[in-house]
Amino acid sequence: MSHDDPTVDLVLLARLQGGADDALAVLYDRHGAAAYGLAVRLTASAEMAEEVVQEAFLALWRRSETYRADRGTVRSWLLTVVRNRAIDAIRARDGRPRSGPALPRPVALDDVILVASDDPEAEALRAVEGEVVRGALAELPREQREVVQMAYFGGLTYPEVAAATGIPLGTVKSRMRLALERLRILVGQRLSA
């Protein structure tokens, strides 16, 4: 089974929803390495990454009916769940005292979150621009949207996207270039309208 065939994942997800627990094992075989790689990158902890991936696949098993094909592939959905679980784990870890040897620390989430502006007009403009970008992203072809989501929202590098999707690095770069060009045009059209 090819990792880059999203229809296989849809069939597996349908089987999982129908009670075929073995479908979860196949989904793990297909996407576990990418999920773990993302979790390690975000948490900087192998142990925490294992817990995050386990929780993400458990969520997939329990809540597979929440998947929406119009928002991306099963793989990108799963990696988004991993990202969200990793952020939760980091916040929980940073909220309690550490014991044992110090772990390598990823960038603190508070350093990434933008500070609220004193200019409400600028905040409103950013919110509108965010909606415009999300709308434009939804208009991209699925293949382009997936690489953008994995790179920008999943935090993966181009080689990691290639490994996660099973497509060549050159194809990832081409899809990303085409997607960004199309997004620039769509966003420009929407903002000037």
Side-chain angles (χ1 to χ4, degrees), residues 45-65:
S45 164
E47 182 180 334
M48 189 180 294
E50 288 173 6
E51 290 175 20
V52 162
V53 171
Q54 181 179 2
E55 288 175 13
F57 275 92
L58 186 59
L60 174 68
W61 179 59
R62 288 183 176 159
R63 304 199 53 213
S64 60
E65 73 282 353

Side-chain angles (χ1 to χ4, degrees), residues 10 12 15 23 71 73 79 89 114-115 143 147 152 164 174 183:
L10 292 174
L12 290 167
R15 288 187 61 230
R71 292 194 166 190
T73 64
L79 292 177
L114 298 175
V115 176
E143 297 84 12
V147 296
Y152 287 94
S174 294
L183 282 173

Side-chain angles (χ1 to χ4, degrees), residues 144-171:
Q144 293 175 11
R145 184 175 55 246
E146 181 180 29
V147 296
V148 169
Q149 288 173 327
M150 293 175 81
Y152 287 94
F153 304 121
L156 299 178
T157 63
Y158 289 0
E160 290 170 332
V161 171
T165 59
I167 59 177
L169 179 59
T171 304

